[in-house]
Amino acid sequence: MIWNPNKECMSRDEMHALQSKRLQKLVTYVYHNVPFYRNKMQAMDLSPEDIRSIDDIVKLPFTTKQDLRDNYPYGLQAAPPSEIVRVHASSGTTGNPTIVGYTRKDLAVWSEVMARCLTAYGVTRDDTFSVAYGYGLFTGGLGAHYGVENLGATVIPTSTGNTEKHIRLIRDLKVSGIACTPSYALYLAETLDKMGLTKDDINLRIGAFGAEPWTENMRKEIEERLGLKGYNIYGLSEIMGPGVSYECQEQNGSHICEDHFYPEIINPETLEQLPRGQQGELVFTTLTKEGMPLLRYRTKDLCTLMEGECACGRTAVRMGRIVGRSDDMLIIRGINVFPSQVESVILEMPEFEPQYMLVVDRAGNLDTLQVQVEVRRDFFSDDMGRMLAMKKKLADRLKSVLSISADVKLMEPGSIERSQGKGKHVIDNRILK
Amino acid sequence: MTIKQVSVFLENKTGRINEVAKTLSQHGINMQAFSMAETTDFGILRLIVSDVDKAVEVLRGENFAVMLTDVVCLHCPNKAGALAHILEQLAASEVSIEYMYAFAEDDMANIVVRPTDIALCEKALASIEG
């Protein structure tokens, strides 16, 4: 089924015309409402009239996460405060979080694109759907929630935590669909086992999984253990939240809602736009956003874009799996973690050498983060209590900065490998599995 | 009597204790007693050695994190109840002990004690002996 065939199956020419019209309107809008963009465009000797078609997008300036932080909290907001009806914030990094304000129309677009995703997965009004993304500042929970409501299925706003209760609801309410992170889906399967239940005791048939990278092997395992079909969902809070792109029944890449989010692939070094089919950094322009519209936002996600009509009937460009990042951000249990955050905590504590290593792994079904640090000679103590307190102090500080717990491992001074040039601070063992 | 114990910080890594022992042996330093306190990821190796200053020097030379700790070394007969008697006296004098380890040799036993208060411990022991 297709939620909005007019848009999802639009001919390429019509889409080009629609995107061109929307881009012109967007550029005029941000030029007059966002000093950040006006200044940038003036510095480039660019006026809104120079943008005549979507192909002119390459003339426009890029936007980065740093720009969002520098303009905290509302510097990139285009709509007046009276028009903003909701605010979300990105998961914590050191310094300023990213604040995204939505107008009433933005929320309508969001639940529209979410309904497209869910329909592509096969969700209908007759389904009962559990949203097990975190509700709150994170866009996952509320974003998926309103999409399910818009579609007309029954939404169970489970959020995260209390997995046994969740499973009882899944069984007793005959829940047929679920949205969560793939690692949580695996945890759910594990808990099901622990409760002495199997996939035959529940009625799940559709899973919308995203917010962290996952592999085909994970998909197979989740599908087998929960008895459902798992679909990829992609999104990011800066652009909207979940619903930017989604897999259809063909599962050959994720269709981008490109009437709202215009995708480009660039070379992250030269910043040049790359032709379709080449791998590079994914960039989005929010064609219809009112609250915080962004021009050419660099996601730092690496992937390819695929053209050509899909057997499902949709014409929208598809994006391949995210194969990596052009920066060093890690996604651990759905939370964004930058090695620099860990570094800043360690540098503040004289107990440790400025050497560290993050070891990310997947134990059972959950991501684990180990932070290895070297104890400074002067701070080594024969008192075990003092050594354990030092370890706990670092673990507590990391928890408050990263929002996830890390296992701290105290190392001998000089034992962490020193690298030449750019330091290597991450060992991610998940990629190998 | 109060003596110096050499404490070494060690990661839990195969062969690490051996490297300490090897370093000491290469410099002709004898380990008279040792004990290991460990957690899942690191340990503290505590040593009584024949030449404290040299041990610290050569271990630091091999990049080990080393420190000296004052401990009390005492001797008692290697027979049932001898240690209990001493510990009872220490408890009566309110000496609290962080850790201790011992080794026996023929009819005598040597006990290394790390009290929270060295002076108090020495005083209590003097009164037993006296």
Side-chain angles (χ1 to χ4, degrees):
Chain A
M1 287 291 288
I2 295 173
W3 177 256
N4 188 344
N6 281 342
K7 292 288 180 336
E8 292 175 84
C9 307
M10 205 173 225
S11 78
R12 293 311 302 168
D13 286 348
E14 283 176 302
M15 181 60 81
H16 189 273
L18 180 69
Q19 289 171 334
S20 297
K21 197 178 90 191
R22 286 183 169 174
L23 182 67
Q24 285 174 289
K25 196 175 157 194
L26 171 76
V27 170
T28 309
Y29 176 62
V30 297
Y31 188 87
H32 292 292
N33 292 284
V34 186
F36 169 81
Y37 283 124
R38 183 167 56 244
N39 294 340
K40 273 202 164 195
M41 286 176 64
Q42 283 172 348
M44 297 163 83
D45 205 14
L46 200 62
S47 80
E49 291 73 38
D50 296 324
I51 305 302
R52 296 195 188 85
S53 110
I54 191 74
D55 303 322
D56 291 327
I57 198 163
V58 291
K59 296 178 183 168
L60 292 167
F62 288 101
T63 312
T64 63
K65 182 97 175 167
Q66 193 56 45
D67 292 328
L68 304 190
R69 290 211 194 100
D70 293 346
N71 289 280
Y72 175 87
Y74 290 127
L76 291 186
Q77 191 171 290
S82 58
E83 294 302 311
I84 300 296
V85 294
R86 196 198 296 167
V87 163
H88 281 282
S90 70
S91 38
T93 48
T94 37
N96 296 332
T98 305
I99 303 294
V100 185
Y102 298 75
T103 65
R104 201 172 292 282
K105 190 188 148 215
D106 291 338
L107 294 182
V109 169
W110 195 2
S111 55
E112 151 76 18
V113 294
M114 268 308 304
R116 291 184 196 177
C117 303
L118 295 163
T119 307
Y121 305 152
V123 180
T124 71
R125 303 169 57 89
D126 299 324
D127 281 296
T128 300
F129 199 95
S130 169
V131 175
Y133 283 119
Y135 277 62
L137 289 173
F138 175 54
T139 51
L142 288 169
H145 180 101
Y146 286 103
V148 179
E149 280 196 1
N150 186 27
L151 177 82
T154 307
V155 61
I156 313 287
T158 325
S159 195
T160 49
N162 204 341
T163 306
E164 291 199 12
K165 183 179 173 190
H166 187 187
I167 288 176
R168 279 196 292 278
L169 285 176
I170 288 174
R171 182 190 60 193
D172 299 344
L173 305 182
K174 300 209 180 325
V175 170
S176 51
I178 183 168
C180 61
T181 60
S183 50
Y184 184 73
L186 283 168
Y187 182 65
L188 210 58
E190 205 170 74
T191 311
L192 196 69
D193 282 351
K194 250 184 235 156
M195 293 168 72
L197 299 172
T198 72
K199 61 183 177 184
D200 299 327
D201 297 302
I202 56 174
N203 296 65
L204 282 178
R205 60 182 196 93
I206 292 168
F209 304 125
E212 67 184 14
W214 55 310
T215 60
E216 278 307 315
N217 283 341
M218 276 178 86
R219 164 140 53 195
K220 274 189 210 122
E221 193 183 340
I222 295 167
E223 290 183 339
E224 241 159 62
R225 296 177 70 179
L226 290 178
L228 50 70
K229 198 158 155 57
Y231 296 88
N232 191 43
I233 185 161
Y234 175 84
L236 61 168
S237 60
E238 296 86 344
I239 297 304
M240 185 60 97
V244 171
S245 77
Y246 54 92
E247 277 182 335
C248 63
Q249 298 295 318
E250 301 300 319
Q251 300 197 317
N252 179 20
S254 297
H255 288 284
I256 295 169
C257 295
E258 53 169 333
D259 50 327
H260 296 292
F261 318 113
Y262 184 75
E264 295 172 83
I265 293 287
I266 61 161
N267 176 329
E269 307 290 327
T270 64
L271 305 184
E272 264 173 284
Q273 196 190 62
L274 295 175
R276 297 285 152 95
Q278 279 195 32
Q279 186 176 304
E281 183 183 329
L282 184 61
V283 168
F284 280 110
T285 297
T286 60
L287 292 177
T288 55
K289 204 117 172 271
E290 294 180 335
M292 192 182 80
L294 296 179
L295 300 181
R296 307 188 82 193
Y297 180 70
R298 296 184 58 184
T299 65
K300 308 276 176 175
D301 286 331
L302 299 177
C303 70
T304 51
L305 290 179
M306 298 175 270
E307 275 182 345
E309 196 170 325
C310 180
C312 72
R314 291 177 183 82
T315 52
V317 163
R318 285 158 289 150
M319 53 184 269
R321 267 190 194 282
I322 305 296
V323 295
R325 299 269 309 167
S326 63
D327 63 7
D328 55 1
M329 187 181 88
L330 296 161
I331 302 180
I332 300 170
R333 277 170 257 156
I335 304 285
N336 300 347
V337 173
F338 288 91
S340 56
Q341 294 173 275
V342 174
E343 184 172 303
S344 69
V345 171
I346 291 171
L347 290 180
E348 278 168 14
M349 296 179 68
E351 294 93 325
F352 305 109
E353 298 282 348
Q355 296 290 338
Y356 64 95
M357 185 66 82
L358 309 187
V359 182
V360 191
D361 213 325
R362 192 159 271 153
N365 297 319
L366 279 182
D367 295 338
T368 61
L369 170 64
Q370 183 184 71
V371 177
Q372 301 180 344
V373 278
E374 293 181 359
V375 176
R376 275 226 170 100
R377 268 168 234 287
D378 308 347
F379 281 87
F380 164 55
S381 165
D382 175 61
D383 182 344
M384 185 59 91
R386 205 177 286 177
M387 294 297 284
L388 292 174
M390 184 193 295
K391 182 171 157 164
K392 186 174 182 300
K393 184 172 155 195
L394 176 58
D396 290 348
R397 290 198 183 180
L398 287 172
K399 172 93 203 259
S400 78
V401 169
L402 303 178
S403 323
I404 56 165
S405 3
D407 169 33
V408 170
K409 183 169 174 168
L410 301 184
M411 311 280 282
E412 290 174 35
S415 63
I416 294 175
E417 200 188 326
R418 267 66 171 166
S419 53
Q420 306 293 321
K422 205 176 166 209
K424 183 175 171 2
H425 291 301
V426 178
I427 298 171
D428 194 340
N429 293 319
R430 297 175 301 179
I431 296 162
L432 306 171
K433 288 172 190 170
Chain B
M1 93 183 140
T2 301
I3 57 168
K4 296 283 183 194
Q5 167 193 268
V6 178
S7 305
V8 188
F9 175 64
L10 292 179
E11 284 166 43
N12 277 4
K13 201 162 74 181
T14 316
R16 207 55 192 145
I17 296 181
N18 182 34
E19 280 164 40
V20 174
K22 217 166 67 187
T23 303
L24 294 177
S25 83
Q26 279 164 357
H27 293 87
I29 301 163
N30 184 34
M31 283 194 272
Q32 289 153 333
F34 76 88
S35 118
M36 181 82 195
E38 94 280 356
T39 68
T40 50
D41 56 309
F42 70 92
I44 301 170
L45 180 64
R46 293 161 176 150
L47 303 163
I48 304 298
V49 294
S50 57
D51 187 337
V52 173
D53 295 334
K54 197 168 168 196
V56 170
E57 188 194 315
V58 300
L59 287 172
R60 285 203 175 134
E62 292 295 317
N63 283 322
F64 283 101
V66 181
M67 70 174 289
L68 290 178
T69 317
D70 284 336
V71 290
V72 175
C73 186
L74 52 101
H75 311 283
C76 74
N78 184 13
K79 65 176 189 194
L83 179 60
H85 173 69
I86 295 174
L87 291 179
E88 202 177 303
Q89 297 294 315
L90 289 179
S93 309
E94 299 197 334
V95 173
S96 59
I97 295 170
E98 286 178 19
Y99 58 83
M100 60 187 284
Y101 49 100
F103 58 103
E105 211 176 356
D106 302 328
D107 54 353
M108 283 302 281
N110 300 295
I111 299 141
V112 178
V113 178
R114 167 70 185 170
T116 42
D117 185 335
I118 297 262
L120 183 66
C121 181
E122 288 277 25
K123 209 174 117 193
L125 287 171
S127 73
I128 303 172
E129 283 155 14

